[in-house]
Amino acid sequence: MLLLEVDFNSDEAIYVQLCNQIILGIATSVIREGDSLPSVRQLADTIGVNMHTVNKAYSVLKREGYISLDKRRGAVISLDIDKIEELEEMRRQLRIVLARGCCKNITRQEVHDLVDEIFDDYSSGI
């Protein structure tokens, strides 16, 4: 069961936090293809946020190909990701992340080690 937590003091929007936690849950196999997420009302009540916030998170996840919305089952993990599009989006985001790292003298090897560590976490279910 995926346990979602919101940091109300974060600069990151709550719906973005929810999206990121659900994506991390998928990546670490805490939740899998076909699993149902809580209803909008249930999740909003559980974490203490507005239903519109949860609805926005679910809409973003649907648009990005992580969930489908089923009238009977609600939000269901349903991966429909175009790999080429995803690689281009990763390239765009990594350019910024790597530029920041270069400004802080982070080496290529340190980046490679970090990427390996993160991928190992996903494959071990952390």
Side-chain angles (χ1 to χ4, degrees):
M1 177 69 188
L2 181 65
L3 183 62
L4 299 173
E5 295 180 2
V6 173
D7 179 357
F8 292 100
N9 296 317
S10 174
D11 290 337
E12 189 172 54
I14 293 170
Y15 82 92
V16 173
Q17 292 180 51
L18 294 174
C19 289
N20 289 342
Q21 289 182 52
I22 291 168
I23 292 167
L24 284 169
I26 296 167
T28 57
S29 298
V30 172
I31 50 177
R32 301 175 187 273
E33 181 95 19
D35 286 353
S36 293
L37 295 173
S39 71
V40 170
R41 181 182 306 278
Q42 181 183 18
L43 184 55
D45 287 347
T46 300
I47 59 178
V49 298
N50 189 293
M51 286 186 357
H52 295 295
T53 302
V54 176
N55 202 35
K56 184 169 185 178
Y58 282 6
S59 294
V60 169
L61 290 168
K62 181 182 184 307
R63 186 179 69 239
E64 293 181 358
Y66 293 99
I67 66 172
S68 63
L69 299 175
D70 181 283
K71 289 183 183 191
R72 291 171 301 181
R73 294 186 60 207
V76 178
I77 302 302
S78 176
L79 301 176
D80 179 25
I81 301 170
D82 182 331
K83 187 173 181 177
I84 293 170
E85 282 182 31
E86 189 63 22
L87 280 171
E88 284 306 312
E89 178 60 17
M90 286 178 74
R91 179 186 313 277
R92 187 187 68 73
Q93 291 181 16
L94 276 171
R95 283 187 186 282
I96 296 164
V97 170
L98 292 175
R100 288 175 185 233
C102 285
C103 290
K104 301 291 183 173
N105 296 317
I106 295 173
T107 67
R108 176 187 301 255
Q109 187 58 53
E110 288 170 322
V111 170
H112 284 258
D113 292 344
L114 185 58
V115 168
D116 289 342
E117 177 186 321
I118 292 168
F119 266 96
D120 288 347
D121 286 349
Y122 293 151
S123 62
S124 68
I126 292 178

